[in-house]
Amino acid sequence: MNHQKKIGLVLSGGGYKGIAHLGALLAFEEAGITPQYISGSSAGAIVGALYAGGYSITAIKSFFKKTPLFRFNKFTRKKPGFLDSEKFYDDFSSFFPENTFESLQRTLFITTTNLIEGTSKVFSSGELIKPILASAAFPGIFSPIKIGNALYADGGIMDNFPITPLINHCDMILGVNVTPVKKPTAKDFKHAYNVMQRAYYLMSIANAQNNFKHCNILVEPEELVNYGIFNAYNLDKVFELGYSEAKKQLITYRANQEN
């Protein structure tokens, strides 16, 4: 593989399933592939930011395991959402003491949704933590984040697979999509979060399919359809699914290059 290429990595949203991104990253590292440019949405923004900050896969995996979402002290008061996104600020401040994109070791693009304008907004400079929180602010669960005069929420609403920022920078693009979709039955909708999860998946399909074709390698573990975006159990299994699928796609890529 040509190590002189400018390599980009796009990471989709997907809640706790974002830990599969880390499994894929481990497979890429073992193959000697190091992306210089990273674009992420929602969970992909969190993983991408920590990886761009130079943190190891082990450290990022630990962050996911040690940062439970539904703690009593995180609930909102007089804000739209069950959980107050800004109360997660301190969870990131120790990882990003300088709190800027410019302090990162790799170029990072974070996709959010401007709720006022109804448009996608990409952050790549200046303050870092608020765009991360905004990109992961799942609608209805997490409160949106105010940046300047606008309110921003989950990047997956408008662009769950944000490849566009990488196209003009990279010779090779790796993609990891952790939100494959299966057709549910009526019996699958037992709780409100089942409905919200389904809505999220439908949004991700609508705005991601056309972007997949730009990837030189696309990692999309099909078995992830059996795991929920808010389910913090079986994270090691989710990690392994990302790893094994990335290894499989790397073998396929190399075989195609040799033919």
Side-chain angles (χ1 to χ4, degrees), residues 103-169:
S103 65
L104 300 175
Q105 297 179 11
R106 297 176 172 90
T107 301
L108 175 68
F109 303 94
I110 289 179
T111 295
T112 66
T113 298
N114 184 323
L115 292 176
I116 306 299
E117 301 296 331
T119 57
S120 180
K121 166 69 175 178
V122 178
F123 289 88
S124 59
S125 63
E127 184 179 4
L128 173 63
I129 296 177
K130 279 193 173 182
I132 295 173
L133 294 173
S135 186
F138 189 94
I141 300 294
F142 294 91
S143 61
I145 292 287
K146 186 175 183 181
I147 303 176
N149 295 320
L151 282 177
Y152 295 94
D154 198 311
I157 298 171
M158 301 295 292
D159 192 354
N160 197 53
F161 194 78
I163 201 170
T164 303
L166 302 179
I167 292 176
N168 293 329
H169 293 280

Side-chain angles (χ1 to χ4, degrees), residues 39-255:
S39 180
S41 184
S42 200
I46 296 174
V47 172
L50 291 167
Y51 195 66
Y55 292 99
S56 69
I57 291 171
T58 300
I60 304 172
K61 189 177 181 181
S62 178
F63 173 85
F64 268 77
K65 289 186 173 183
K66 294 181 178 180
T67 310
L69 299 180
F70 299 100
R71 289 181 291 185
F72 181 76
N73 64 342
K74 302 295 187 184
F75 282 83
T76 59
R77 295 186 64 185
K78 299 180 180 179
K79 286 186 177 182
F82 292 111
L83 298 170
D84 189 337
S85 296
E86 294 196 20
K87 290 183 178 180
F88 289 88
Y89 192 96
D90 290 343
D91 292 301
F92 290 94
S93 60
S94 60
F95 288 89
F96 305 110
E98 295 184 46
N99 192 22
T100 65
F101 281 84
E102 289 76 13
S103 65
L104 300 175
Q105 297 179 11
R106 297 176 172 90
T107 301
L108 175 68
F109 303 94
I110 289 179
T111 295
T112 66
T113 298
N114 184 323
L115 292 176
I116 306 299
E117 301 296 331
T119 57
S120 180
K121 166 69 175 178
V122 178
F123 289 88
S124 59
S125 63
E127 184 179 4
L128 173 63
I129 296 177
K130 279 193 173 182
I132 295 173
L133 294 173
S135 186
F138 189 94
I141 300 294
F142 294 91
S143 61
I145 292 287
K146 186 175 183 181
I147 303 176
N149 295 320
L151 282 177
Y152 295 94
D154 198 311
I157 298 171
M158 301 295 292
D159 192 354
N160 197 53
F161 194 78
I163 201 170
T164 303
L166 302 179
I167 292 176
N168 293 329
H169 293 280
C170 304
D171 305 307
M172 177 181 186
I173 297 178
L174 315 172
V176 186
N177 177 43
V178 299
T179 54
V181 180
K182 69 175 180 180
K183 187 175 181 179
T185 67
K187 293 180 180 180
D188 292 324
F189 297 95
K190 298 178 181 179
H191 307 284
Y193 68 81
N194 296 133
V195 178
M196 289 186 289
Q197 180 171 271
R198 178 61 176 171
Y200 189 86
Y201 288 163
L202 292 175
M203 287 188 298
S204 72
I205 293 173
N207 60 36
Q209 291 286 351
N210 287 333
N211 291 339
F212 293 158
K213 63 185 179 183
H214 296 290
C215 294
N216 298 92
I217 299 176
L218 176 64
V219 178
E220 189 179 32
E222 292 183 4
E223 287 186 51
L224 286 178
V225 297
N226 299 314
Y227 297 84
I229 59 178
F230 298 120
N231 190 340
Y233 300 104
N234 300 310
L235 293 185
D236 289 328
K237 176 59 177 177
V238 171
F239 176 92
E240 181 60 31
L241 289 174
Y243 176 78
S244 58
E245 181 63 19
K247 295 282 282 188
K248 175 182 175 182
Q249 294 305 322
L250 283 166
I251 291 172
T252 300
Y253 176 79
R254 289 190 177 114

